[in-house]
Every structure is written in structure tokens, then in C-alpha cells.
Amino acid sequence: MYRTHTCGELRKEHSGNTVSLAGWVQRVRDLGNLVFIDLRDRYGITQLFFDTNSPLAEQAKQLGREYVLQVTGLVRERSSKNAQMETGDVELKVEVLNILNESKTPPFTIEEETDGGDDLRMKYRYLDLRRSIVNKNLLHRHRVAKAVREYMDGQGFADVETPFLIKSTPEGARDFVVPSRLNQGQFYALPQSPQTFKQLLMVAGFDRYYQITRCFRDEDLRADRQPEFTQIDCEMAFVEQEDVLQMFEGMVKHVFKKVRGIELGDFPRMSYADCLKYYGNDKPDLRFGMKLIELNDLVKGKSFKVFDDAEYVVGIVAEGYSEYTRKQTDELTEWVKRPQIGAGGLVFIKCNSDGSFKSSVDKFYSEDDLKNIAAICKAKAGDLILILSGGLSKTRKAMSELRLEMGARLGLRKVEDYKPLWVVDFPLLEWDEEDKRWNAMHHPFTSWKKEDNELINTNPGAVRANAYDVVINGVELSSGSIRIHNRAQQEKMFSLLGLTDEETQYKFGFILNAFEYGAPPHGGIAFGFDRFCSIVISNLDYIRDFIAFPKNNSGRDMMLDAPSDIDSRLKKELGL
Ligand code: ASP
């Protein structure tokens, strides 16, 4: 037996017991006549003590960081206790020392705060994962998965696996493809999601399906994206939108309760249109107000050309910020002008504490004009109004970024707050200006609202989908929809998307055929599991910390050095 206890387990009550531990050397402290070693495993750190009179002390002094040890000895209460450590009341007086393996000096320090840069830590991910701060996240991930499975199981969902080598199912991203050796010149695609399979499982009568499964999307990488990521993928038969919302609101609440002990209240619901109107995007952070206020009617016709020419003029109020200095407003103006935000400029109205107003456009607007704007914005003395203008969608987007930035600067995006919501009534389609055609906003299997049946022929852009997203603190955690389950309607959808009958048959014949054999009404949802973990555990949107072996920002695995060239013989066999 390598060990009787873990390095996180010993307490005062164990004093006097003879125990064995196994783990890695975190630190050797050689105090001349005394030698201490911190021994670490996944569970914690225990202090080992070597008596100078013991021949083991000399050996202990030679040990390097990350050596793997097995030790046996007597647990005793420490004379100077360490309240910071869970095992800080005791130490192990070592009587038997067994070096199980040596270690080279690690390329960075294996501590909470490390000196290793991102790429170096990714190259030696197995060492980075020894850091408790990193491995804790993965252990938390396990707990989230467990809570999800517990809930789903309790609700009668069956976990069914679906294939990875499939034919491409479009979800808006590029497919990763795998060349087939047995069918040269042909390719499998890796699933962007199990969307069509879960629908086929409903046709097959599974009724309630879920899977925590990997999805693959060949997208341009951003900080919060990985080419492979995990979804909690779910589908239900004989449901309407309301059934799905209730079921999965329950799941999110269960996970927060189980993993964090947090009771989330009922999720408010907001239409896509209202999200855009009041928050400028479809995933509002509701931890703070600072709603967008349209000012078109108030500001136009005062000879200020920038506003007169603008399709949309919008303001937000930064409470208590009227004292912003010139330097600060200049800096904020530069901030909104950065290409990522893309605003042309920023207009300020300071609502001074004495009731007067000062703006960056005083030339065009009288004190009364400013007062009216402040009244519409419900700005009080001491507040600062920030105004952007330009084309509608671009300006909304810029204002939503500015709102988030101001929310952060004002300390309103609190890490202990969770504000979930359902976003509903998404448009079914969005216009692709480049290709001059409609795209499905969710995916082509999403159904539309019965009330909008007429519009599908007359004004497709106004048709609302039976689609819904869960958003928490400005992060989109999941999206789903009630599906089309009838061949004619699905064909109609494909033709709206500009697919010819041949293309439709070639790409989607299998699901259209299935719809002719008694497909039940069905709908579902998928949660980004990595992101869900990141939000539940740290309230940050940083999925990499919750993936054991993530890729870097250029989609490379630094440890494996992948992607890489392949053997020329393999290439030949594949006909590449
Ligand atoms: N398959 C969809 C996605 O990956 C989710 C769903 O509609 O269930 O976003």
C-alpha cells in the first residue's frame, strides 16, 4: 500500500498515529539542523519533518522539487501551527523515505502564482495541472457534470451517444473533416453538434435524450472559443417552448444549488427585440441597469450635423460620474474609437451637482435642451450622460460595449451576482448582406411561430422563431428551439435559405425521409458545458481554465504540437 492517507487529510486527531503518504515535493526547507519538506498531492499539502539526528535528513536535503516520494512516519502536533493550511496543525516525522521517482527541475513554479507564461504552461500542461488552482477547476467541472446528470436522470432523460464520424450538418461554422481511406476522395465531417441525431432519436421514440458530448467547429478563434468544446445536448418529444424553458430553468437552478449553494430566482424573459433596444445586444448583462435610451427625437434639428445625419442617437447614464475629468473623457473617447468598438466619437453631458449642465456640444444645445435630455434619461445631478450616434446596428453594438465597460468601471458587474434570463422571440432568419440571402439565425431545423405563418411568404425577416437562449451575466450559456417536424415545412425552410431541391435531398434527405415516418413534435436545447462550468464556478467567461487539455489562441495543442504533418505513407493511403 503506497499510502494510508492523502496529503490533505491529516489533522490534530491523527497525532500519535503512524501513517504513510505519497506525493510530490513542493518545497525543501533546509534550516541546517532541521529539514522540512512540503509534500503535495491533489488533496493538499502536508509538512514532513526530518530529525537532524536521522540519516534521512541528509537524503532529504538532496531532494529536488517534484520528486515523487512515499514516506512513513509519526503524525505529531506542530509547535508553530499554520492556520492558512488545512493540515497546518500537524506534521509527519518521517521514519521511512522512499523515492518513487526523480524529477527534472520544472520549467515554471508549481504554485498558485506561477512564473510560467501561457504557451509554456500549455506545453507542460501536465505540470500546470498539478497546480491546485488549475486542477480545482477541473474537479469543479466534474461536480457540475455530476449535478447535471443527477437532474437529467431524475427527469427521465436517457444518455445516448451519437457518432463523431458523420456527414456535415451545418450550424453556421466550418466543419472539420476526416478523409476516408476506404472511400478515397470522400470525407467524414466531425459534428458541430448532434443536432440531427437527437432529432432522429425523437423520431425513434426516445422521448427524452441528453448527452454531455464533444462538438467541433472550425471557426476563427477568439479568447473564449475552442475548436472542440463540450455541450450538454438535450431533446424532448411532445413539448412546446414553455415545457422546455421550465425543464432547463430547473436544470440550471439545480446545478447552482448543488455546486455553489446558490438559489437562483425565477428567470425573467425578454424578447430579442427588447434586448437589442435596451441593452444593445442579445445577451444582456442584467447585473446592472444603465439601459440604452434612444434620443433621436430630442437631439435632431439643432444644427448638430453629426446627430442630424445619424440614423440612431443613443445615450446611457453613468451614475455619479459627472466629475469625470477632461483627461478621463478624452480617454473614454479614444476607447470607443478603437476599431473593436468602432464609434466615430463620444458626446458627454455632465449633470453638475449644482444643477447646471456642461456638455461637449454646448455650441448646439441650450441649457434647456440639455435639461430635457437629462430628464428623458432620468439623469440626476452628479451623473454623466454618454451619447453615441450613427447607423442603428453598429451604434447599438458600440453602445452595448460602452455600457459593459462603464458597468465594469463603476464596479457594477459583481462577481457574486448571478442574473439569468431567457431571451425569446428571436427572428427566424437573418439577412446575409454579402451573399444576398437569408441565413437561419439558430439553425435550419428551428420552427417558427404559428402567428407568423403569413409573414413567411411576405416578409421573412419579420418571422419569429420558437427559439430561446439562456443568458447569465452577459454570457450566452445555451440555445435551443422547437423544431420543424414535418417534411413540407422543413423543405420550405431549406428553400427560404436558398437551397435547391437537389442540394436539400443530397444534404438532408435522411432527416426529411425520417419526418415521413411519424416524427413527433419535439424541441430541445444545448448548453455550452465548458462555459457553463466557467460561469457557475468562477463567474467569468474563460473556458480554457475548465478544459484539461485546451488549444491555444491559434488552435494549436502546444503539448502535442498539433496539428502536424502526417506520415507520407498514410497520406498516400488516404489518397491525399
Ligand atoms: N444544436 C444547437 C447548437 O449547437 C442547439 C439546439 O438547438 O439544441 O447550438
Side-chain angles (χ1 to χ4, degrees):
M1 197 159 65
Y2 277 109
R3 56 186 177 186
T4 55
H5 294 78
T6 70
C7 295
E9 209 176 337
L10 298 176
R11 302 286 184 273
K12 223 162 30 193
E13 305 82 83
H14 296 97
S15 305
N17 294 1
T18 296
V19 304
S20 297
L21 300 180
W24 288 263
V25 173
Q26 171 90 21
R27 213 147 69 103
V28 180
R29 265 168 304 143
D30 176 2
L31 305 181
N33 53 347
L34 295 173
V35 182
F36 293 103
I37 287 182
D38 284 344
L39 194 68
R40 180 195 68 236
D41 66 10
R42 174 186 132 182
Y43 308 93
I45 292 180
T46 301
Q47 173 164 295
L48 310 180
F49 164 73
F50 295 82
D51 209 332
T52 10
N53 305 324
S54 143
L56 293 181
E58 274 318 301
Q59 217 186 333
K61 284 182 192 174
Q62 309 305 320
L63 298 174
R65 284 196 282 137
E66 302 309 314
Y67 270 52
V68 189
L69 309 183
Q70 180 197 25
V71 290
T72 301
L74 199 67
V75 183
R76 64 181 206 188
E77 210 173 323
R78 284 203 215 176
S79 47
S80 64
K81 302 199 171 33
N82 181 348
Q84 309 299 318
M85 282 170 77
E86 289 194 88
T87 61
D89 283 351
V90 293
E91 63 191 359
L92 189 73
K93 181 164 177 282
V94 178
E95 281 146 13
V96 183
L97 168 65
N98 213 341
I99 300 172
L100 299 177
N101 213 342
E102 300 182 349
S103 171
K104 283 184 169 178
T105 305
F108 49 86
T109 54
I110 314 248
E111 315 223 339
E112 299 259 314
E113 294 281 331
T114 177
D115 53 359
D118 266 1
D119 277 356
L120 189 65
R121 283 189 292 120
M122 280 196 151
K123 179 161 178 205
Y124 295 93
R125 183 68 173 168
Y126 46 90
L127 295 181
D128 204 23
L129 286 170
R130 283 189 194 161
R131 294 166 59 223
S132 67
I133 198 164
V134 185
N135 68 43
K136 283 232 162 62
N137 286 337
L138 291 172
L139 297 170
H140 285 315
R141 177 184 170 114
H142 163 74
R143 292 169 59 220
V144 175
K146 192 160 164 250
V148 169
R149 291 191 185 283
E150 209 171 68
Y151 181 84
M152 299 305 280
D153 188 52
Q155 299 291 339
F157 284 79
D159 180 345
V160 182
E161 287 180 81
T162 52
F164 280 165
L165 295 178
I166 65 164
K167 184 164 165 166
S168 109
T169 37
E171 300 242 11
R174 225 171 276 116
D175 283 322
F176 279 104
V177 293
V178 179
S180 161
R181 181 178 58 85
L182 297 175
N183 304 275
Q184 292 220 346
Q186 297 192 324
F187 297 82
Y188 298 101
L190 300 180
Q192 293 188 29
S193 89
Q195 184 61 36
T196 50
F197 291 100
K198 66 174 170 178
Q199 292 193 239
L200 294 173
L201 288 173
M202 293 305 108
V203 179
F206 269 83
D207 200 63
R208 290 181 172 196
Y209 141 95
Y210 89 107
Q211 190 184 186
I212 301 185
T213 190
R214 202 64 55 78
C215 301
F216 306 86
R217 296 185 189 176
D218 189 4
E219 291 175 296
D220 296 330
L221 297 163
R222 285 192 252 125
D224 61 342
R225 287 265 167 96
Q226 285 279 314
E228 53 179 306
F229 61 97
T230 303
Q231 278 189 348
I232 314 168
D233 190 49
C234 315
E235 198 74 7
M236 305 168 80
F238 303 113
V239 284
E240 294 178 336
Q241 174 162 317
E242 189 57 34
D243 302 303
V244 181
L245 300 197
Q246 302 237 351
M247 178 62 73
F248 290 97
E249 185 165 325
M251 194 268 274
V252 176
K253 284 178 178 169
H254 176 82
V255 170
F256 271 86
K257 180 88 214 309
K258 266 280 146 117
V259 178
R260 295 287 313 273
I262 293 172
E263 301 265 5
L264 295 179
D266 290 343
F267 299 7
R269 299 181 186 177
M270 200 182 295
S271 70
Y272 172 85
D274 278 354
C275 287
L276 285 191
K277 184 168 170 199
Y278 296 119
Y279 300 94
N281 66 34
D282 60 0
K283 41 181 180 167
D285 185 344
L286 298 188
R287 280 176 294 180
F288 64 109
M290 213 187 271
K291 286 189 190 170
L292 277 55
I293 303 145
E294 189 186 320
L295 299 172
N296 284 24
D297 293 347
L298 276 179
V299 298
K300 286 183 181 265
K302 305 277 178 182
S303 312
F304 181 43
K305 198 162 158 27
V306 176
F307 284 174
D308 283 348
D309 292 349
E311 180 186 6
Y312 180 60
V313 183
V314 61
I316 53 171
V317 178
E319 277 182 43
Y321 264 57
S322 70
E323 307 284 315
Y324 240 35
T325 62
R326 179 64 196 260
K327 194 161 155 233
Q328 286 170 307
T329 54
D330 283 352
E331 181 265 330
L332 206 53
T333 306
E334 285 314 308
W335 189 90
V336 299
K337 283 183 172 173
R338 296 180 321 155
Q340 301 94 306
I341 311 297
L346 183 58
V347 167
F348 300 90
I349 302 176
K350 289 182 178 180
C351 311
N352 297 325
S353 37
D354 62 4
S356 67
F357 296 92
K358 174 93 194 97
S359 85
S360 51
V361 286
D362 278 351
K363 257 207 324 225
F364 305 98
Y365 297 92
S366 67
E367 181 90 5
D368 265 355
D369 292 333
L370 298 177
K371 203 168 166 181
N372 288 339
I373 296 172
I376 287 291
C377 293
K378 298 200 174 65
K380 307 175 304 299
D383 293 348
L384 176 69
I385 304 173
L386 306 170
I387 303 174
L388 293 177
S389 62
L392 176 66
S393 73
K394 207 171 151 216
T395 307
R396 264 190 178 155
K397 203 165 155 280
M399 192 46 120
S400 107
E401 295 293 337
L402 180 60
R403 172 182 174 271
L404 291 174
E405 174 68 17
M406 293 311 291
R409 289 188 189 196
L410 270 65
L412 301 173
R413 301 173 72 187
K414 296 202 183 81
V415 75
E416 65 276 15
D417 279 1
Y418 284 102
K419 290 284 186 257
L421 80 148
W422 285 106
V423 180
V424 294
D425 297 345
F426 283 88
L428 182 69
L429 301 163
E430 59 189 350
W431 183 246
D432 185 332
E433 201 38 65
E434 216 166 284
D435 294 348
K436 300 274 180 258
R437 63 178 186 85
W438 293 107
N439 277 333
M441 190 140 186
H442 267 70
H443 50 59
F445 309 104
T446 296
S447 67
W448 57 86
K449 303 230 177 269
K450 272 203 205 84
E451 309 91 272
D452 294 352
N453 256 339
E454 284 301 306
L455 289 172
I456 202 93
N457 297 314
T458 53
N459 184 6
V463 175
R464 289 162 308 151
N466 292 309
Y468 32 80
D469 281 1
V470 175
V471 172
I472 298 187
N473 296 353
V475 178
E476 182 196 316
L477 280 192
S478 73
S479 83
S481 60
I482 299 300
R483 327 295 183 188
I484 297 168
H485 64 281
N486 142 320
R487 177 165 189 141
Q489 205 175 9
Q490 187 67 68
E491 280 176 335
K492 170 89 189 162
M493 183 66 183
F494 287 133
S495 85
L496 270 172
L497 299 176
L499 267 73
T500 64
D501 289 351
E502 292 72 45
E503 279 172 317
T504 300
Q505 194 51 42
Y506 176 74
K507 287 188 177 161
F508 301 108
F510 67 100
I511 196 162
L512 291 170
N513 292 343
F515 284 170
E516 291 187 299
Y517 290 93
H522 61 284
I525 194 163
F527 287 76
F529 181 60
D530 315 288
R531 180 153 293 137
F532 190 33
C533 292
S534 182
I535 290 293
V536 173
I537 304 304
S538 64
N539 205 352
L540 295 173
D541 184 14
Y542 198 67
I543 65 176
R544 236 203 249 172
D545 283 357
F546 292 85
I547 298 176
F549 297 101
K551 314 263 185 291
N552 76 0
N553 278 346
S554 343
R556 293 201 72 79
D557 185 313
M558 297 298 287
M559 189 177 65
L560 306 178
D561 196 20
S564 64
D565 201 2
I566 53 171
D567 203 77
S568 53
R569 199 166 121 201
L570 183 55
K571 252 192 221 170
K572 218 161 123 208
E573 283 175 352
L574 291 168
L576 294 175

